[in-house]
C-alpha cells in the first residue's frame, strides 16, 4: 500500500486552475480500484492519497500522469508500507510479512 503526499510548489491560484483536471484524474484512479482515499492537507499546502493494489513502478507511472505533476505544480512523496492490519473493507489490500 502507498501513502502519496503532495506538496504544492506553485501559488494556490495555479493549483485552483488545475483542480478540475486533477479531480477527473482522481476519479479515473478510483474507478480502476487503485485509489482508496484522498483529500487536501490542512492547512492547504497539498494533499494525501491512499493507494493500493499495484506495485511501486505502477504507482510512479500513475503519479507522473497527475495533471499537477504534468504542470510541475506539486512534488510527490511516495511512501510504501506493508498494511498488515486493516478494517474489513480493506482486507483485499492486506500484506503478509515475509518469514
Amino acid at each position: 500500500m502507498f501513502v502519496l503526499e503532495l506538496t504544492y510548489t506553485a501559488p494556490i491560484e495555479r493549483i485552483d486552475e488545475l483542480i478540475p483536471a486533477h479531480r477527473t484524474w482522481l476519479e479515473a484512479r478510483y474507478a480502476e480500484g487503485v485509489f482508496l482515499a484522498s483529500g487536501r492537507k490542512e492547512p492547504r499546502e497539498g494533499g494525501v492519497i491512499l493507494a493500493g493494489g499495484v506495485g511501486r513502478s505502477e504507482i510512479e507511472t500513475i503519479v507522473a500522469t497527475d495533471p499537477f505533476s504534468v504542470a510541475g505544480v506539486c512534488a510527490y512523496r511516495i511512501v510504501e508500507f506493508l498494511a498488515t492490519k486493516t478494517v474489513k473493507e480493506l482486507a483485499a489490500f492486506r500484506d503478509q510479512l515475509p518469514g
Side-chain angles (χ1 to χ4, degrees):
M1 195 170 288
F2 297 91
V3 175
L4 310 175
E5 182 183 11
L6 294 75
T7 302
Y8 299 145
T9 58
I12 201 67
E13 295 79 18
R14 181 67 177 126
I15 300 301
D16 286 342
E17 292 171 5
L18 294 165
I19 286 286
H22 175 72
R23 287 185 178 150
T24 298
W25 174 82
L26 285 170
E27 288 303 321
R29 306 300 76 79
Y30 276 105
E32 294 166 355
V34 175
F35 286 178
L36 307 173
S38 62
R40 63 171 64 161
K41 292 185 206 174
E42 193 58 46
R44 190 174 176 205
E45 57 188 23
V48 175
I49 301 168
L50 183 61
V54 295
R56 178 87 185 196
S57 64
E58 291 100 335
I59 209 69
E60 289 172 353
T61 299
I62 289 168
V63 163
T65 66
D66 180 355
F68 287 168
S69 292
V70 173
V73 301
C74 83
Y76 266 92
R77 179 173 175 239
I78 301 172
V79 178
E80 186 172 4
F81 73 102
L82 298 178
T84 56
K85 188 162 182 68
T86 67
V87 294
K88 65 181 175 181
E89 293 82 3
L90 295 177
F93 297 96
R94 286 185 195 145
D95 293 300
Q96 296 293 320
L97 292 176

